[in-house]
Amino acid sequence: MRKEGQQKEWSGVEVYVASRNIFYAQSGGVTAVINASACGVIEAARKERKLGKVLAGRNGIIGALREELIDTSLESRKSIAGLRYTPGGAFGSCRYKLKSIDESRAEYERLIAVFKAHNIGYFFYNGGGDSQDTAHKVSGLSQSLGYPITCIGIPKTVDNDLPYTDNCPGFGSVAKYVAISTLEAGLDVASMAESSTKIFVLEVMGRHAGWIAAAAGLAKDRKNSPPHIILFPEIAFDKRAFLKKVKDTVNQVGYCVIVASEGAQYADGTFVADAGLKDAFGHTQLGGVAPSLVDMIKDSHGYKCHWSVADYLQRAARHVASGTDVEQAYAVGKAAVEFAAAGKNAVMPVIVRNKGKKYSWRIGEVPLSKVANVEKKLPRSYISKDGFGITAKAHRYLEPLISGEDHPQYKNGLPVYVRLNNNLVSKKLPDFMV
Amino acid sequence: MRKEGQQKEWSGVEVYVASRNIFYAQSGGVTAVINASACGVIEAARKERKLGKVLAGRNGIIGALREELIDTSLESRKSIAGLRYTPGGAFGSCRYKLKSIDESRAEYERLIAVFKAHNIGYFFYNGGGDSQDTAHKVSGLSQSLGYPITCIGIPKTVDNDLPYTDNCPGFGSVAKYVAISTLEAGLDVASMAESSTKIFVLEVMGRHAGWIAAAAGLAKDRKNSPPHIILFPEIAFDKRAFLKKVKDTVNQVGYCVIVASEGAQYADGTFVADAGLKDAFGHTQLGGVAPSLVDMIKDSHGYKCHWSVADYLQRAARHVASGTDVEQAYAVGKAAVEFAAAGKNAVMPVIVRNKGKKYSWRIGEVPLSKVANVEKKLPRSYISKDGFGITAKAHRYLEPLISGEDHPQYKNGLPVYVRLNNNLVSKKLPDFMV
């Protein structure tokens, strides 16, 4: 699988010739399909003779700083193909934000030293808003520190909050998981409501934006079917209105299914999850939003309640990934290679929704300077008037993103997920503490 | 779809001739495959000329008491076939336990009145231990109240705690869900551990028996892979040993994945979930076991933790049901009809594991008198010496139960689940308060 010439040692001058290596890193919270993007990068790079091999950062950018570079050329074609079906971050991810060049000059100089030592001319950063900000900063190194580096951002976030792209790879799969879980749990509680549980609360991710919670609305196929209430961070939580809606729903439908963003908050910004609980030592405990809502409902109405916190399960659920999402995640990875080969720099491939009734999409591009640190919230027009549901417009936007199935293979009842060898390239530099 | 002769009015004498109707009820917590059992009952009964039509209780036995009987003969063949793929209880279930005949004579007399009025000669009760106890009591009506009724129990419980059957329909699918969720979340936290989350706790069902938690052990494919700790109700929780194991695991592996039964408890029977939290009014709050464990770990070790409570999601997850489980759930429903047609009474079909290296099974039978109120716990030989994992023996038992996939059809990104018309038979009796 190795390309010719990649093993060659480059001198300082030769760094500027073609076939320089790619540094690829996964950043921030992982998703069910971030490895599909890695698969797109590696498979495309292996075919593209202008580019060198893909060196992946072990645990993201930390791997670059520590000179822990995974040589993906040592992985079999089959293992790389398997990345398309494997959740989590195959090379390790990290939460590590580079500060400005002025504040963290030593780190940037280290990056350049590592890039030089390993003939890296391309920096591919696969992450969300913060990560695209880092990618943008690294793209400034050409000017500020005189090291030529091509930077391509690869979008990824379950939060769907990146601007300029119609949607973010990773979101479609978590949206599908949440919609299906709401549908399934709704059937369960409907069966039990007459003599037992009347309330089910599902807590989903979304600290600042309600995109994931909104996806639960796709499970609603008629007036009274679940979910009956969705709580978004964008809509101030009104306890009285909420409790009234719960009661009205139980009276009318017999039960009530609630999907709540973890970031649901009161008008003053206090999180609903901060229920004022104290432990034996008097420390405030920040529980989940689901148990907090359940406490309110029990106190006020006395209904039997069940609740679930999906947490990592939702963003790791590759077994039920959206086919559209997998394709798009792969496509943005592949596009990064194509952009680099075409000489583009400081850009990020985006998903563009084509006009027309039938959903279709294409890859577009946006400069990193525009993406960095902009957060796209759920528009008010996607939220129903009463603030507890989604509109037809939201439904039209969301539905194609969860469409299509891409079942992994199974063996002995479990999905077959790959585990890479992750062999590190020999270090050439002294250690650097991170 | 209706059979000949079923619409005929029967006189008191004719009640004893062939082609009497079946009363079928779903009982207790529903599962991903209880409707597959209903499908087995209805499809088999439609072919069996000795038996009348299947009248399903609306919300289980409550439907019999209220004379709310769903006429399944009015449902299309396609809808009934769709039950095989639909989670929850299609006719409604209930938590309602009949007391002894001496204590609740009025209820039993009401049952008989309803059975008589609707020419019901067969009572099929689809549920767990409590429900089989009810079925057993109803089977006593022939003697004690002089009404001839054939009683067949149909096993169902995610808890897998019924005796005499190798396993219980419903368990294999929740086991598969838990194993897959553990595998997937494990890959997620492994990616994040270097700079962020080091601990993930998944809370699963199982108040008295640790079968469901044990299934998480199937995700472990090598020494250091997740889950690293499983907490069973059968093993007294030892906080010190637990916290030490967490720390050792993080030191050795870099992160720690914990799967905890909701019923995990201290040696004195106190639930771990009872964390001693008090709300603003000083009321004790019973949180989940997952947040309680996370509080302990944070307090003691300071690691960043994530946690999930699967709750209804796990038992409703038909999208990832076990193929073996679906087949067995269907088979026990079908067997109930065959038993009834063969003149058997007061029995329950069970799953018998055939001898031999390759897994295979057949339907057996057990008298209801033996099943009622016996709870099968996880044997000690299935739990590893240190109490935190499962043995090879448990693995051999569990693996075939999660094997096989039976994907539902999808439309617009969501599984196609049926919703029945659930038309009620006209009432013939005065109201009865339940």
Side-chain angles (χ1 to χ4, degrees), chain A residues 177 180-182 184-186 188 200 202 306-310 313 319, chain B residues 29-34 87-88 157-160 170-182 202-207 209-216 259-263 289-290 308-322 325 402 417:
Chain A
Y177 174 94
I180 292 177
S181 296
T182 304
E184 291 180 333
D188 191 309
F200 179 74
L202 171 61
H306 265 254
W307 53 275
S308 180
V309 176
L313 302 193
H319 74 273
Chain B
V30 293
T31 77
V33 301
I34 186 172
T157 168
V158 294
D159 293 326
N160 203 39
F171 170 67
S173 294
V174 74
K176 188 180 183 98
Y177 174 94
V178 166
I180 292 177
S181 296
T182 303
L202 171 61
E203 171 175 336
V204 301
M205 287 181 161
R207 202 158 275 269
W211 293 102
I212 295 176
V259 177
S261 298
E262 59 182 337
V289 59
S308 179
V309 176
D311 196 64
Y312 279 1
L313 302 193
Q314 70 200 287
R315 72 180 201 193
R318 179 59 185 84
H319 74 272
V320 71
S322 149
D325 192 31
I402 71 161
Y417 293 145

Side-chain angles (χ1 to χ4, degrees), chain A residues 63-208:
Chain A
L65 293 168
R66 289 184 184 155
E67 201 191 358
E68 293 179 347
L69 305 175
I70 293 162
D71 188 347
T72 68
S73 75
L74 301 177
E75 305 289 344
S76 70
R77 186 191 299 234
K78 198 179 158 197
S79 288
I80 297 302
L83 286 177
R84 188 177 170 120
Y85 298 93
T86 302
F91 309 107
S93 184
C94 70
R95 295 204 180 279
Y96 192 87
K97 195 172 174 177
L98 288 175
K99 293 182 189 156
S100 70
I101 295 181
D102 291 340
E103 287 172 286
S104 305
R105 198 172 178 93
E107 285 186 332
Y108 287 94
E109 284 172 348
R110 170 69 177 186
L111 279 185
I112 289 177
V114 172
F115 291 169
K116 260 190 191 159
H118 297 278
N119 186 32
I120 289 165
Y122 304 92
F123 179 82
F124 287 5
Y125 212 40
N126 200 171
D130 277 358
S131 310
Q132 300 312 331
D133 177 60
T134 299
H136 181 231
K137 281 172 185 153
V138 172
S139 75
L141 291 180
S142 305
Q143 280 86 47
S144 61
L145 297 179
Y147 183 78
I149 182 95
T150 295
C151 284
I152 313 283
I154 303 173
K156 170 243 61 169
T157 171
V158 294
D159 293 326
N160 203 39
D161 59 357
L162 286 173
Y164 300 101
T165 183
D166 181 65
N167 60 288
C168 302
F171 170 67
S173 293
V174 75
K176 188 180 184 97
Y177 174 94
V178 166
I180 292 177
S181 296
T182 304
L183 174 64
E184 291 180 333
L187 289 169
D188 191 309
V189 68
S191 324
M192 304 305 298
E194 176 61 23
S195 59
S196 181
T197 308
K198 286 191 167 43
I199 307 290
F200 179 74
V201 184
L202 171 61
E203 172 174 335
V204 300
M205 287 180 159
R207 202 158 276 271
H208 306 292

Side-chain angles (χ1 to χ4, degrees), chain A residues 28-30 59 62 66 86-90 92-96 176-177 179-185 187-192 194-197 200 202 205 218-219 221-222 225 276-281 283 285 287-288 291 295 299 304 306-313 315-320 399 402-405 407 410 412-415 417 419, chain B residues 28-30 59 62 66 86-90 92-96 176-177 179-185 187-192 194-197 200 202 205 218-219 221-222 225 276-281 283 285 287-288 291 295 299 304 306-313 315-320 399 402-405 407 410 412-415 417 419:
Chain A
V30 292
N59 299 310
I62 291 177
R66 289 184 184 155
T86 302
S93 184
C94 70
R95 295 204 180 279
Y96 192 87
K176 188 180 184 97
Y177 174 94
I180 292 177
S181 296
T182 304
L183 174 64
E184 291 180 333
L187 289 169
D188 191 309
V189 68
S191 324
M192 304 305 298
E194 176 61 23
S195 59
S196 181
T197 308
F200 179 74
L202 171 61
M205 287 180 159
L218 293 172
D221 65 342
R222 57 178 80 178
S225 67
L277 290 180
K278 300 213 184 290
D279 68 12
F281 307 98
H283 302 143
Q285 298 291 310
D295 284 343
D299 274 359
K304 184 172 178 195
H306 265 254
W307 53 275
S308 180
V309 176
D311 195 65
Y312 279 1
L313 302 193
R315 72 180 202 194
R318 180 59 185 82
H319 74 273
V320 70
E399 191 176 86
I402 71 160
S403 291
E405 288 66 54
H407 300 300
Y410 281 78
N412 298 328
L414 293 175
Y417 294 145
R419 205 187 259 113
Chain B
V30 293
N59 300 311
I62 291 177
R66 289 185 183 154
T86 303
S93 184
C94 70
R95 295 205 181 277
Y96 192 86
K176 188 180 183 98
Y177 174 94
I180 292 177
S181 296
T182 303
L183 173 65
E184 292 180 332
L187 289 169
D188 190 310
V189 67
S191 325
M192 304 306 296
E194 177 61 24
S195 60
S196 181
T197 308
F200 179 74
L202 171 61
M205 287 181 161
L218 293 172
D221 65 343
R222 56 179 80 176
S225 67
L277 290 181
K278 301 214 183 290
D279 68 12
F281 308 98
H283 302 141
Q285 299 290 312
D295 283 343
D299 273 0
K304 184 173 178 196
H306 265 253
W307 54 275
S308 179
V309 176
D311 196 64
Y312 279 1
L313 302 193
R315 72 180 201 193
R318 179 59 185 84
H319 74 272
V320 71
E399 191 176 86
I402 71 161
S403 291
E405 288 66 54
H407 300 299
Y410 282 77
N412 298 329
L414 293 175
Y417 293 145
R419 203 187 261 113

Side-chain angles (χ1 to χ4, degrees), chain B residues 357-376:
Chain B
K357 218 176 166 186
K358 195 175 176 307
Y359 176 74
S360 67
W361 56 276
R362 66 182 189 279
I363 292 291
E365 67 181 84
V366 64
L368 287 175
S369 57
K370 284 193 166 180
V371 185
N373 295 318
V374 182
E375 205 171 53
K376 185 173 72 178

Side-chain angles (χ1 to χ4, degrees), chain B residues 225-247:
Chain B
S225 67
H228 306 102
I229 298 178
I230 306 178
L231 299 180
F232 307 97
E234 288 88 350
I235 302 290
F237 180 71
D238 175 342
K239 186 172 167 178
R240 223 174 110 182
F242 168 74
L243 287 172
K244 183 177 182 311
K245 175 88 176 171
V246 170
K247 190 162 204 173

